[in-house]
Amino acid sequence: MTTVSLRTAVPHDCIPFLDFHEYSTAVTGSEIPLFASHLPYTCLPKSVIHSDCKIVYICRDPKDTFVSMWFFPHEGFELFCQGLTCLPRGPYWEHILGYWEASIRRPEKILFLKYEDLVEDTQLWVKKLAEFFGCPFSAGGEREGVVKECSFESLRDLEVNKSGKHEKRGRVIENNAYFRKGVVGDWRNYLSDEMGKKIDVIMEEKLMGPGFTF
């Protein structure tokens, strides 16, 4: 597999997407060491679900998720609440629930993370992530260096992510589209309290039963 650096390429070009068959041109052998996906758990290939490969799933507060999608791309508040915005990936709550329940059944295979937790204690969760993959850091300083180099702020300030472009499915996309803010709770600057409450009520109805909380 060709090595690509975060310093010279947008993160989306560093890891091939399973959804778009990018891995077919990204690897030269039969093994795929790392790939990304937006697919629901139930839509993953059986070869992935039944294999021993590790899966890391990251979800985010639905209100911030909607705002992020609103900017890239905008699809509408009511559609999101109806579970239509994430098509063809399905309603956001079902997307979360699929990986959440799978992580309960197979915690050794699936690491379920919340974006808000990563922001609150990045050092801790990067340490757990490395241990999950069986590649623990040899020293605290090494972990701190990785966290600093891969932080949202550091990546956003790289020239490739400020002015570069790349192509996805025939569309030319500005790299800075992936680095808007990344701020927890930024939805308050774009949604009313009533809109935020509506999303909370829907998520509580859909997710609280299985024991999931934001």
Side-chain angles (χ1 to χ4, degrees), residues 84-162:
L84 301 177
T85 304
C86 288
L87 288 174
R89 300 187 290 273
Y92 188 56
W93 54 84
E94 290 187 5
H95 205 287
I96 292 173
L97 194 57
Y99 284 93
W100 167 253
E101 292 179 337
S103 71
I104 298 300
R105 294 193 302 268
R106 301 186 65 185
E108 77 288 348
K109 176 181 176 177
I110 303 174
L111 180 62
F112 190 100
L113 301 177
K114 298 177 184 178
Y115 178 77
E116 292 75 19
D117 292 339
L118 287 170
V119 172
E120 182 178 357
D121 196 338
T122 308
Q123 295 279 346
L124 172 65
W125 287 102
V126 167
K127 178 177 181 291
K128 289 187 176 183
L129 182 63
E131 292 171 347
F132 175 73
F133 281 117
C135 304
F137 291 101
S138 58
E142 180 184 5
R143 182 176 72 247
E144 292 171 4
V146 169
V147 170
K148 181 178 180 180
E149 290 293 320
C150 297
S151 70
F152 184 91
E153 292 76 17
S154 294
L155 293 177
R156 182 179 56 192
D157 289 341
L158 292 175
E159 189 60 35
V160 65
N161 294 324
K162 290 193 295 184

Side-chain angles (χ1 to χ4, degrees), residues 24-114:
S24 61
T25 58
V27 297
T28 55
S30 60
E31 294 185 357
I32 305 172
L34 190 64
F35 64 80
S37 177
H38 288 307
L39 292 174
Y41 182 75
T42 53
C43 292
L44 290 176
K46 292 182 179 179
S47 58
V48 173
I49 292 179
H50 299 308
S51 72
D52 292 326
C53 72
K54 302 275 189 172
I55 298 174
V56 176
Y57 181 81
I58 303 178
C59 70
R60 191 177 184 185
D61 183 312
K63 299 183 291 297
D64 281 327
T65 297
F66 167 70
V67 169
S68 180
M69 295 175 66
W70 186 1
F71 278 88
F72 182 69
H74 172 58
E75 296 200 35
F77 181 76
E78 290 302 326
L79 290 179
F80 183 84
C81 291
Q82 294 171 28
L84 301 177
T85 304
C86 288
L87 288 174
R89 300 187 290 273
Y92 188 56
W93 54 84
E94 290 187 5
H95 205 287
I96 292 173
L97 194 57
Y99 284 93
W100 167 253
E101 292 179 337
S103 71
I104 298 300
R105 294 193 302 268
R106 301 186 65 185
E108 77 288 348
K109 176 181 176 177
I110 303 174
L111 180 62
F112 190 100
L113 301 177
K114 298 177 184 178

